[in-house]
Amino acid sequence: MLNMDFTVPVLMKIDDLEWCSSPMPGVERKPLAREDAERGHATSIVRYAPGSVFRAHPHPLGEEILVLDGVFCDETGHYPAGTYFRNPPGSSHAPFSSEGCTLFVKLHQFSPLDNKQVVIRSDTLKCLKYTQPYCLHEYQNERVYLLYAREGDDMSALFPDMVNGVEILIVDGLISYEGDDLPALSWFRVPYVDFEQLVVSRDSLLWIKSGHF
């Protein structure tokens, strides 16, 4: 197990982590939270080398992906950087990447009834406006956003009702939380977020989820 006590704040900086091999050559991971080696709840940064493939596999409780760079592919299409998608519980696919890619991946974390297939194309990312959160998905009390935040933005004003069960991936830019600088691809998860302690140090792109774990 890794970071599976959801009552404890977790802060992970990507440069502090080592790449770990996966069952398939050319696919490596930096685990952020994990229930078991190859099954169950997992949150990771995943890297596909050019030409790598992953065998067909199911997702009993769903898969959520944000493509960070390169082009991620499966039998349904090609997904360039900026694409967000959710494969619902019971889905399966056979992913690969001809040119290589890096992904933010969350596995086995859906409600069993959250069965909507979601694909938001990268063109949407190009149209995001600063300080206007874009809702990628919502189900019951879960909300997922992308946000271009400007340096100095008051995050509590942007998310006045977001307090409990919050996790943030810094896709690009720099923020700090409780005085700790968090550069691009840092990730943190807190049972309670204190927005007074969250400072946007320079213009940043953030993936934000609340009301989930």
Side-chain angles (χ1 to χ4, degrees), residues 97-113:
S97 182
S98 299
E99 65 180 66
C101 63
T102 306
L103 314 171
F104 176 62
V105 181
K106 297 178 69 64
L107 300 173
H108 209 80
Q109 298 177 43
F110 288 26
S111 165
L113 299 180

Side-chain angles (χ1 to χ4, degrees), residues 2-3 6 20 25-26 32 34 44 54 83 87 96 101 108-109 137-138 140 143 150 154-155 158 166 184 187:
L2 173 68
N3 295 329
F6 300 122
C20 302
L32 305 173
R34 193 159 194 94
S44 309
F54 207 97
T83 305
N87 295 320
F96 63 96
C101 63
H108 209 80
Q109 298 177 43
H137 181 69
E138 58 181 294
Q140 295 180 345
R143 301 290 186 274
R150 288 196 185 278
D154 181 355
M155 295 289 286
L158 297 176
V166 174
W187 172 82

Side-chain angles (χ1 to χ4, degrees), residues 13 23-24 42 54 91-92 95 119 125 136 150 157 160 167 194 205:
K13 298 182 182 181
M24 302 301 291
F54 207 97
S91 61
S92 62
V119 179
L125 185 63
L136 298 167
R150 288 196 185 278
E167 60 178 301
D194 182 355
L205 176 60

